[in-house]
Amino acid sequence: MKYINPPGSFCQDELVVEKNEENGLLFLELNPPNPWDSEPRSPEDLAFGEVQITYLTHACMDLRLGDKRMVFDPWLIGPAFARGWWLLHEPPSDWLERLYQADLIYISHMHSDHLSYPTLKKVAGRRPDIPIYVGNTERPVFWNLKRSGVQLTNINVVPFGIWQQVDKNLRFMILMDGVHPEMDTCIIVEYKGHKILNTVDCTRPNGGRLPMKVDLMMSDFAGGASGFPMTFSGGKFTEEWKAQFIKTERKKLLNYKARLVKDLQPRIYCPFAGYFVESHPSDKYIKETNIKNDPNELNNLIKKNSDVLTWTPRPGATLDLGRMLKDPTDRKGIIEPPEGTKIYKDSWDFGPYLRILNAAVGDEIFRHSCWIKEYFTWAGFKDYNLVVRMIETDEDFNPFPGGYDYLVDFLDLSFPKERPSREHPYEEGSVLNPPNTSASTASPTPKIHRSCPDLAQLPPTLPSFRFTRVNHLLDIITWISKSLIRSRVDVIRHVVKHGLLWDDLYIGFQTRLQRDPDVYHHLFWNHFQIKLPLTPPNWKSFLMYCG
C-alpha cells in the first residue's frame, strides 16, 4: 500500500499491511536501534594536534584524524550549477596539496557545489586512484562521471547505516536524508570514540534520528539555495513580497538550526556549506535579492539557548578538537589564518567555464528542429496534463535570431501548433524583463517574436551567427494555469546536449518564472531535476538519421 503526501507530490515509503490470526489488522510502531550504537566505543583521551579540522571553503573540510586525512565535499575552483554559484571564500593557497595528501574523500551528493568535477579533475591529474566514498543513493552520485572526462578509478559506494572501518581508531557511517533519500546523505565520523556529525544539506538527516552529544557538529545554515522566490514574478511575487518571504524563511531556518543544535547538544557546532555568491554580473539582481543568513547570527542564537560552543570558520582556520574538549578557552584551540590572509574572493575566472556552456549554442544538434522531439522523448516525462511553451532569447532578453519557439504537451508528448482546447495547466515562453526592470512593472503580455509553428515547419538549420557576448538565454515561460518559466540558452542547450539535470537551471538561478494560480508541479520538476535517464541522448545516432 502506498500513500502520497501531499497529493501529486512525495511518494512515501510503501506500507506493509499485516493481519493477525483473526484476520484483523496489526498496527506496529517501529523503533529500530540507532545504527551508530552498534559496537559502541568509549571516548579515549586525545593528544593535542591528534584531531584537527581545517576549513577550506563552502562545504569542504580537511580532517586530520591521527595519521589519516579525510576531506569533505571538495569544491575549490570553478562555478557550481552551470554558472550561477561561485565561491565566496578564497581557498587556502595549499588546498590542492591538501587534497593530494587525503587518504579518503567523502562526497555527500551529486550537486556541483559538493561534487565539483573541475576540482576533482585537478586531483585526478596526480591521484586518479584516491579513495572516494559516497552513499548508495537511488541516483548514483557519480552518474555522470564518464561524460565528465575526469579519470577517477577508486569510487566506493557504501550502504547506509553501516560502519566503514578505516583503521583501528577511525570509522565512518553514511546516512540518508529523510526528505530526499534518492540523492542527499550525511555522515558520522568516529575517531577513538569521538564523533563528528556532518549533516551537510540534508533537509531531515536520517529522518530526524541523529546521535546526541557528538563532539563536533557541522551543517548548512545560509538558505538561498533555490530559485524560489527570487526568480519568480507576477501575481503575488512583487519585490516587497519576495523580500518579506526571504526574511521570514531565513529566520525560520535559523530557528530550526538553533533548535536542532539545542536538542542534539553537541560540544561544538560549526555552520558551513553556505558560502557561495552569485558573482557573475548578469546575476546582479539575484545577488542583491537572495539575502543569506549570517553564521554569526546563528551562533549567537545558539549561545542564548544552550552551552554549545560555536565556531564560525574562515579559510585556513584549524580547530584542534583535543584542545577544545579539554579547555574551550585555550587560545591554541582554534588557529586562525595568518594576518593579512585573503578571506573573500574579489575576482572569478568566468571565461573558461562560460565558453564551455556557450559551445553548445551553435552545436549541430540544434540545426535540426527534430532535436526537440528527440530530447523530450529521451527525457521520458509524459502522461501528465501540462503544456510547456519554450522560446529562445539572447542575454538582453530579445528574441534569439533564428531561435526556436514551440509547445510541448506532456499529456501525450506531442508538439502542437496551438494550445490544446482541453483544460490544462499551461507553461508559455516569453521575453525576460530587462535587467533593470522590476518584475512588478513588466508588461503582462509575453512578447513573442514569431508564432509557434509545427516542428516540421521550423527551419532545418539555424542561420549563421557570431556572438558578441558570452551568455545567451532560452526563455521557458511557464503558464501553469498562467504560470511562467524562462531559462538561459547557453545553459539549457548545454543541459540538453549532455543530458544533464535541470538543477543547473533552477538552483543555478538560470530561470525566471511566473505562475498564477500559485501551483507547483512537483512531478514535472522532480523528474527533470532527479529522474532523467542516466545516459545522455544518443545525438550521434540522431544526427545520422535527422541530418
Side-chain angles (χ1 to χ4, degrees):
M1 181 169 68
K2 294 183 179 181
Y3 71 101
I4 295 176
N5 183 34
S9 182
F10 297 105
C11 182
Q12 309 296 330
D13 293 338
E14 184 170 351
L15 301 179
V16 178
V17 178
E18 297 186 12
K19 296 184 178 181
N20 58 24
E21 296 177 354
E22 300 176 354
N23 208 32
L25 295 180
L26 291 176
F27 291 90
L28 302 176
E29 182 178 357
L30 298 179
N31 189 25
N34 295 320
W36 53 86
D37 289 335
S38 64
E39 304 177 20
R41 296 178 179 178
S42 299
E44 302 177 30
D45 290 338
L46 296 176
F48 293 169
E50 187 174 4
V51 175
Q52 295 182 329
I53 299 92
T54 301
Y55 170 72
L56 302 185
T57 187
H58 190 57
C60 184
M61 290 282 191
D62 175 15
L63 285 70
R64 179 181 174 184
L65 305 151
D67 61 358
K68 299 295 183 182
R69 296 186 75 161
M70 183 177 190
V71 172
F72 294 157
D73 288 336
W75 171 34
L76 284 305
I77 57 172
F81 300 109
R83 39 160 284 189
W85 293 28
W86 302 83
L87 289 168
L88 175 68
H89 286 149
E90 187 72 46
S93 58
D94 64 345
W95 69 263
L96 186 54
E97 192 61 35
R98 287 177 176 272
L99 266 59
Y100 286 152
Q101 294 175 7
D103 294 286
L104 64 158
I105 294 174
Y106 160 68
I107 294 181
S108 59
H109 60 292
M110 63 185 178
H111 283 165
S112 50
D113 60 320
H114 299 264
L115 170 55
S116 169
Y117 281 116
T119 302
L120 293 178
K121 185 176 182 179
K122 290 278 189 181
V123 178
R126 184 190 294 186
R127 290 196 59 194
D129 61 345
I130 191 167
I132 297 178
Y133 290 85
V134 298
N136 188 21
T137 49
E138 177 184 338
R139 189 173 189 94
V141 175
F142 279 92
W143 68 273
N144 199 39
L145 177 63
K146 184 176 180 180
R147 293 283 296 181
S148 75
V150 178
Q151 301 298 317
L152 294 170
T153 61
N154 195 0
I155 295 172
N156 303 271
V157 181
V158 301
F160 293 116
I162 303 295
W163 283 117
Q164 307 297 318
Q165 200 73 37
V166 180
D167 60 25
K168 66 177 184 178
N169 295 319
L170 176 61
R171 60 183 181 174
F172 68 90
M173 174 184 294
I174 299 178
L175 303 170
M176 71 170 63
D177 184 30
V179 174
H180 297 290
E182 70 283 348
M183 59 165 286
D184 262 344
T185 73
C186 57
I187 189 170
I188 303 170
V189 177
E190 185 179 82
Y191 177 80
K192 288 188 175 180
H194 295 273
K195 290 184 177 66
I196 297 173
L197 170 65
N198 177 11
T199 64
V200 206
D201 287 355
C202 288
T203 305
R204 188 169 171 79
N206 198 44
R209 298 171 63 95
L210 294 170
M212 296 183 62
K213 299 183 178 180
V214 300
D215 294 279
L216 172 63
M217 174 183 174
M218 53 188 78
S219 77
D220 65 339
F221 71 97
S226 167
F228 188 86
M230 294 78 63
T231 60
F232 285 67
S233 61
K236 70 181 182 183
F237 295 104
T238 64
E239 295 306 307
E240 293 77 14
W241 186 93
K242 287 190 282 187
Q244 184 59 49
F245 178 89
I246 292 169
K247 181 179 179 181
T248 301
E249 291 303 306
R250 299 298 181 267
K251 185 175 181 179
K252 286 181 182 178
L253 179 59
L254 282 183
N255 289 332
Y256 165 70
K257 294 296 180 180
R259 185 172 64 252
L260 183 63
V261 171
K262 181 181 178 181
D263 292 343
L264 295 179
Q265 301 175 44
R267 294 286 300 276
I268 306 167
Y269 172 74
C270 171
F272 82 145
Y275 301 106
F276 69 93
V277 61
E278 306 85 350
S279 61
H280 192 274
S282 66
D283 290 324
K284 181 175 181 288
Y285 168 78
I286 298 296
K287 181 180 178 180
E288 294 174 348
T289 308
N290 189 23
I291 306 301
K292 304 172 189 69
N293 283 328
D294 182 341
N296 292 312
E297 184 179 354
L298 172 57
N299 287 343
N300 290 335
L301 187 60
I302 290 171
K303 292 174 184 177
K304 289 181 180 179
N305 299 309
S306 69
D307 295 326
V308 174
L309 301 173
T310 60
W311 174 38
T312 302
R314 300 200 302 166
T318 297
L319 183 145
D320 186 326
L321 190 60
R323 285 184 180 274
M324 291 297 290
L325 294 180
K326 184 175 182 180
D327 181 6
T329 65
D330 188 337
R331 292 184 177 181
K332 295 182 180 180
I334 297 176
I335 303 299
E336 295 292 347
E339 187 175 350
T341 299
K342 187 176 181 180
I343 302 301
Y344 296 100
K345 293 183 71 70
D346 54 18
S347 63
W348 297 263
D349 190 8
F350 300 127
Y353 305 101
L354 269 60
R355 283 194 290 272
I356 292 172
L357 298 174
N358 227 11
V361 178
D363 194 278
E364 185 180 358
I365 296 165
F366 304 105
R367 296 180 178 273
H368 307 279
S369 60
C370 44
W371 74 263
I372 300 167
K373 181 177 180 180
E374 183 77 10
Y375 174 75
F376 285 101
T377 300
W378 164 85
F381 184 74
K382 59 181 179 178
D383 301 324
Y384 189 78
N385 189 25
L386 176 66
V387 177
V388 178
R389 187 169 193 168
M390 305 178 72
I391 301 172
E392 294 179 326
T393 73
D394 63 18
E395 183 175 339
D396 294 320
F397 315 113
N398 298 312
F400 186 70
Y404 291 100
D405 174 350
Y406 59 93
L407 295 172
V408 184
D409 186 345
F410 286 104
L411 188 61
D412 57 2
L413 201 57
S414 61
F415 306 89
K417 294 173 60 176
E418 299 177 352
R419 283 183 59 179
S421 58
R422 71 175 192 277
E423 292 186 5
H424 61 279
Y426 180 50
E427 307 199 3
E428 179 176 322
S430 130
V431 179
L432 284 169
N433 302 322
N436 297 322
T437 303
S438 69
S440 60
T441 61
S443 169
T445 304
K447 186 178 180 181
I448 308 300
H449 70 282
R450 73 181 186 205
S451 61
C452 178
D454 184 83
L455 290 181
Q457 297 175 333
L458 288 172
T461 60
L462 294 177
S464 61
F465 49 82
R466 67 184 183 89
F467 300 112
T468 57
R469 307 183 71 165
V470 198
N471 308 307
H472 298 269
L473 302 170
L474 168 63
D475 271 3
I476 313 172
I477 308 287
T478 308
W479 292 99
I480 307 175
S481 296
K482 295 187 178 178
S483 184
L484 147 79
I485 309 172
R486 308 172 276 207
S487 305
R488 286 177 168 147
V489 73
D490 57 340
V491 178
I492 189 65
R493 287 197 178 187
H494 180 78
V495 166
V496 166
K497 177 182 177 180
H498 297 286
L500 304 178
L501 300 172
W502 283 26
D503 282 332
D504 284 346
L505 300 169
Y506 185 67
I507 301 179
F509 313 116
Q510 305 303 299
T511 61
R512 297 293 183 271
L513 304 95
Q514 289 184 6
R515 59 190 193 192
D516 182 21
D518 189 14
V519 176
Y520 175 60
H521 286 266
H522 167 76
L523 293 180
F524 171 79
W525 282 106
N526 191 60
H527 185 90
F528 282 92
Q529 288 184 286
I530 295 176
K531 296 185 177 296
L532 288 177
L534 296 178
T535 56
N538 189 342
W539 294 118
K540 183 177 180 180
S541 174
F542 162 79
L543 289 173
M544 288 180 64
Y545 73 76
C546 195

